Structure formats: C-alpha cells, structure tokens
Amino acid sequence: MSTLTESMRLVWLVPLLPLLAAAAIGMRMLFCRQHGDRHEPLTAGLASGAALGALLLLLLFDLAALLNGVPETLRSGEWLAIGLTQVGLSFALDAYSLPMATLVALIAWIALRFSATYLHRERAFPRFFLGMCLFLAGMLLIVLAGNAVLAFVGWELAGISSWLLIAYAWERPVASANALFVFVANRVGDAAFLLGIGLAVWSVGSVEWAALSGDGTLSVVSARLLAAGFVLAAVVKSAQLPFTPWIARALEGPTPSSAVFYGSLMVHAGVFLLCRLQGLLLQVPDMMLLLVVVGLTTALYGGLCALVQSDVKSALIFSTVTQVGLMFLLCGFGLFWLAACYSGLHAAWRAYQFLLAPSYMHLVRRPARPVPNWLARQSWLYSAALQRFWIEALASSLLTRPTLALGRDVRALDAQVIDPLLGTPRADHEVAKNHATATDELIGGHGFAGRALFAFAAWLQRIENRLLLRGNDSMMKPLRRIGRYADAIELLLEQPRYLMLMVMATMVVIL
C-alpha cells in the first residue's frame, strides 16, 4: 500500500511524457529528410505511447487514492518567485483532478489511435501529432496543477497547440485566418488569467489553489476582483457569450483535433477552473449571479443556433456550447460537484460523436431533421439564429473595424505630418493613393443645404489656393508647409468617428 502511495510522487511524469513525445517528434521533423508512409507508425507510436503511459500512471494513482486516500497537494520543489511569493511545482490530487486527468488521457489516447488511420498519407502527419502531444501536456497541467502559475503554463500550451491545429491546412486562407482569429480571441482570456494571478499575489500572497479561497479575512472588493479575472478567463476558454463566435471558426482543423479540443476537453477547461475556485466564488454572490446569466444566455443561444445548422460538426459544436452553458449555470447555483460530473460525462459522449462525425453520411439513412415548426413560424427568430445573432458582425463593427481605422489614421498622421516635420522625403503619389483607398470618408452632401455647404467649402479652398499655393517668395514657403500640415490634420478630424468623439466630449463638458 505504501508503495502505491509513494508512487504518487511521480505525478510530474504525467504531463512530462507527452512533452517528451512532442520533443521527439519535433526532432524527427527537423533532422529526418523524408516523411513517407514508413515513418508514420513511429510518429503515431510516440504520441499514442506517451498518452498510454500517462493513462497507466493515472490509473495507478486512482488505485492508490481508492485504497489509501490522497494528499490534496504534492510539492516537488520551488521553481519561481514572484516578489516574496514562492511558486512551487505543486500538483493537486483530489476528487476533481484525478478523475478528470484520467478522462483526458483516455480520450486523447483514443483520438491519437484514431488519427493514425484517419490522417494516413497526409503531408502534415507529424505536425498534427506534435500539436496533439503539446495539447495533451497542456491539458494535463491545467487539471493537475496545484497553483495558478503552473495551470497557466498548461493554459498557454493548450492555446498554442489549438492555433497550430486550426491552421493545419495553412495553405488555405480561411484556415489561417480562423486560426489567427481564435488565437487573438483567446488572448483576452489569457490576459484575464494573468490579472487573476497578479491579484492573487497582491491580495492573498499565494498562487496555490487551496490558498485562494482565503481564511475568511479577504475583503469583498479583493475577492470580487480576484474572482473576476479567473471568471473572465473561464468564460473565454469555454466559448461563453459574448466570446462564443471563436469556437465555430475553430472547426477548420482536422476532425480528431476538433473532437479533443472543442468537443470534449479544452472547452470544459473553464468549467474545471470554476470548480477549482469554488471556495472563492462562494464569497462573491454577484459573481455567481453573473455565471447564471452568462450560462443561461449561452445555453439559449447555442440551442437556437444548433437547430438551424446544415452540417454535422457545426450542429455538434453549438450543442456543445449549449451544454457547457448549462454547466456554467450549475456553477452559478453553487452545484460545482454536479457541474464537474456533468462535464466529464458530456466530454466522453461528445468525443464519441465528433469522432463518428465523418461516418454519419453512411450511418444515417434518413434525411436531415427539419427545423422545428415553432422556430420556422417565427421568421425573425429563425433569421437571427441563422445569422448566429450577428454577434461576430457586431464585434467586427465595434472592435475590429475601429481598431483598423485607428491604425490607418495613425499611419496617415505619421506619413503626412510627423515624417515631413522630421524631413523624411515622401512621394506625392503616396498621399493620393492613401486618399483614394480611405474606406470611411465623410458622407457626401445632399439637397440644398448639402450643396451650399460644399460650395462654401470650395470657395474657401479657392481662397487658400490663391493665398498659399500660388505664392513664390520665400515668406510663403513656411505658410504653405503649415497649410499642408493643417490639411492633413483636418482630413483626419473630418472622419465621422472623430466628429462623434468631439460631440461626446462636448456633451460630457456640458453635463
């Protein structure tokens, strides 16, 4: 019995095995000149062997836990210091981590075995298995980590491998664009996770999961801020509203990676994080209410969108979003243990469905299920569900386009004002090209008032040309230069977004 308990100190081997397999596959990709059919069994064997080794170790730890119980945390030394806060190589072995880690290793091993045949003779065969090994190591770290910093390492490994596998067919512009979209969207959650770590160091003085619940002396404001960072990270990672659009784009990767990442394992990482932080969340009732609202709205959104999808993988992914939303709802009600059991059962079932998805056309003999009558009669709701409630378009209008426009404006200011002030030569045709390609010009005038305004502007322009542009003496040159700078700044300030900004600033001053 004691031997079994002592073996649990080797828990660090569990995430290390897939990392070593990823390193071995990477070395073979670098130094092996040929990657034909005869090299595939070794690559697949390294990956699936690492997953099987991790699974067997975890089964051994499960047996030790059933016979002798488990220490909640095992420390294997110190590896980092954040100020006065020591960060150790600590691993949590409890009723949440051990079952979930075993499930992660089992699903990954099955998916890797499936992929060896599914991706046979693919050009990027070794790259796929490299990404899957990185993901398995990251996911096992998330589940087994005893502190937030070690979990963040796994969080990032899972994110990087996700980006690599969405862009598996990198030569396709859609795959590359979707991989970049998912990568950028998940950086919001990563920033929130880092914020949570920083607040934990500042308010608690520790990053250990067990210490984040506090001893009851943590102020409400500190607990709320600390919980907010980790909750936002969980919301983004589990594709809850308003961050749901990224998960549909992630389906560009191969089916096995979609099954493991977004169907069964990584999408549940946010739920696991909430379960790990239940002691902290129970101290902040308003954050629990937020989880209820987010989970309920995401479940309704995913359910409606799933009803109108025309392909198997999209229908499955929106069904997954619905179920994960219900798990967030359970966490909001304080039923963390039920949410954890629900996530494990759902992960196993959804992995099976995704791996079976390529065979659905051969297995299903009846036509696709039509849209329910109650939804078909509500044309506005049906159209909204078909367009996925325009969330992605709204995000593009409110965030992406203004950011790109601001970048263009800064570039134009640099090229038209800063560079001339510094004496950098610049061709006039570049100015004309920038004006011609501006995408959000001032709206044209209509009617008598509009024509009068443009006529007045043309009259002022003629005066400016006569006073500044036709002079030849040396006194007029500085004035013409100032006029060019004023024109450039005026062109920027005429953009509608800056006019609106001035109007809002005026209203703030008046109020």
Side-chain angles (χ1 to χ4, degrees):
M1 299 298 179
S2 59
T3 305
L4 283 177
T5 305
E6 287 296 323
S7 69
M8 299 184 74
R9 297 191 176 277
L10 299 176
V11 64
W12 52 271
L13 276 176
V14 174
L16 183 62
L17 285 176
L19 273 180
L20 293 176
I25 294 172
M27 295 295 287
R28 293 189 73 246
M29 291 173 63
L30 285 175
F31 298 108
C32 185
R33 296 182 179 180
Q34 297 180 354
H35 301 283
D37 293 357
R38 62 189 182 89
H39 294 276
E40 288 183 1
L42 180 56
T43 299
L46 285 171
S48 59
L52 181 60
L55 176 60
L56 293 176
L57 278 175
L58 286 166
L59 289 175
L60 183 65
F61 300 157
D62 293 338
L63 180 60
L66 290 174
L67 295 177
N68 300 326
V70 291
E72 291 192 356
T73 303
L74 285 176
R75 297 180 68 89
S76 300
E78 307 292 337
W79 70 293
L80 185 64
I82 305 175
L84 299 177
T85 303
Q86 298 295 322
V87 180
L89 288 171
S90 59
F91 296 91
L93 299 174
D94 53 21
Y96 284 108
S97 59
L98 279 177
M100 190 63 184
T102 305
L103 182 64
V104 167
L106 176 61
I107 291 176
W109 177 62
I110 293 173
L112 287 168
R113 296 283 296 173
F114 173 86
S115 304
T117 303
Y118 184 80
L119 295 173
H120 177 52
R121 292 186 174 176
E122 287 279 345
R123 291 179 58 189
F125 187 92
R127 180 156 52 87
F128 172 84
F129 283 89
L130 172 64
M132 287 289 285
C133 288
L134 288 177
F135 166 74
L136 178 56
M139 196 67 202
L140 288 172
L141 271 179
I142 292 173
V143 174
L144 293 172
N147 60 67
V149 176
L150 194 59
F152 182 73
V153 174
W155 201 269
E156 288 300 294
L157 274 176
I160 292 172
S161 59
S162 170
W163 171 68
L164 287 173
L165 291 175
I166 296 171
Y168 175 78
W170 57 268
E171 65 277 2
R172 296 175 55 233
V174 174
S176 299
N178 286 354
L180 184 60
F181 181 91
V182 174
F183 185 80
V184 172
N186 276 274
R187 297 293 71 75
V188 177
D190 297 346
F193 204 118
L194 283 175
L195 175 64
I197 292 174
L199 290 172
V201 173
W202 172 68
S203 60
V204 182
S206 174
V207 292
E208 298 292 322
W209 291 132
L212 293 187
S213 300
D215 54 1
T217 61
L218 194 63
S219 68
V220 176
V221 175
S222 298
R224 183 179 292 114
L225 291 174
L226 180 58
F230 290 114
V231 165
L232 180 56
V235 166
V236 176
K237 202 69 163 182
S238 291
Q240 300 296 286
L241 287 177
F243 301 98
T244 309
W246 72 258
I247 199 167
R249 290 200 177 204
L251 295 178
E252 284 295 326
T255 295
S257 63
S258 298
V260 174
F261 280 45
Y262 319 110
S264 60
L265 297 183
M266 196 175 77
V267 74
H268 294 94
V271 180
F272 182 84
L273 180 60
L274 295 180
C275 293
R276 181 61 73 195
L277 292 168
Q278 58 180 293
L280 174 65
L281 293 173
L282 289 172
Q283 302 177 34
V284 193
D286 51 352
M287 202 59 63
M288 301 285 283
L289 179 61
L290 177 64
L291 292 177
V292 171
V293 173
V294 169
L296 182 59
T297 53
T298 305
L300 292 174
Y301 168 82
L304 288 172
C305 290
L307 291 174
V308 299
Q309 300 305 310
S310 57
D311 63 282
V312 174
K313 288 177 71 174
S314 294
L316 288 176
I317 205 65
F318 280 105
S319 297
T320 299
V321 168
T322 301
Q323 302 302 321
V324 176
L326 293 177
M327 296 171 205
F328 270 68
L329 180 67
L330 291 174
C331 290
F333 285 135
L335 302 173
F336 293 98
W337 177 249
L338 182 58
C341 295
Y342 188 3
S343 66
L345 294 172
H346 178 258
W349 172 246
R350 200 63 76 184
Y352 168 76
Q353 284 188 312
F354 264 93
L355 292 177
L356 198 64
S359 304
Y360 273 164
M361 292 180 62
H362 303 285
L363 297 176
V364 178
R365 300 297 180 184
R366 58 182 176 81
R369 184 178 61 182
V371 176
N373 291 330
W374 63 268
L375 182 57
R377 286 193 296 267
Q378 304 290 332
S379 58
W380 64 272
L381 185 59
Y382 174 76
S383 299
L386 202 61
Q387 296 297 327
R388 299 174 183 176
F389 291 86
W390 298 280
I391 292 179
E392 188 172 339
L394 185 63
S396 177
S397 299
L398 295 179
L399 297 176
T400 307
R401 289 177 57 192
T403 302
L404 293 175
L406 180 62
R408 287 194 299 269
D409 292 343
V410 171
R411 185 171 64 245
L413 179 65
D414 182 65
Q416 299 176 29
V417 178
I418 305 301
D419 284 349
L421 284 174
L422 297 176
T424 304
R426 186 168 176 272
D428 291 337
H429 67 85
E430 293 183 3
V431 180
K433 182 179 179 181
N434 289 335
H435 292 334
T437 57
T439 57
D440 45 355
E441 298 175 350
L442 189 65
I443 191 169
H446 298 282
F448 175 76
R451 288 194 295 272
L453 178 62
F454 275 83
F456 179 68
W459 178 68
L460 290 178
Q461 184 67 45
R462 286 196 297 272
I463 293 177
E464 182 182 8
N465 291 340
R466 187 170 300 174
L467 290 177
L468 296 178
L469 301 181
R470 292 184 180 180
N472 294 320
D473 53 30
S474 59
M475 296 294 294
M476 299 300 292
K477 291 182 179 179
L479 292 176
R480 287 199 298 270
R481 180 174 298 178
I482 294 173
R484 286 196 296 270
Y485 297 156
D487 286 341
I489 296 173
E490 180 186 13
L491 180 65
L492 293 175
L493 294 179
E494 283 179 349
Q495 303 300 322
R497 54 187 170 275
Y498 297 116
L499 294 177
M500 290 299 299
L501 184 62
M502 292 178 187
V503 171
M504 294 171 62
T506 305
M507 294 298 295
V508 170
V509 172
I510 292 174
L511 295 175

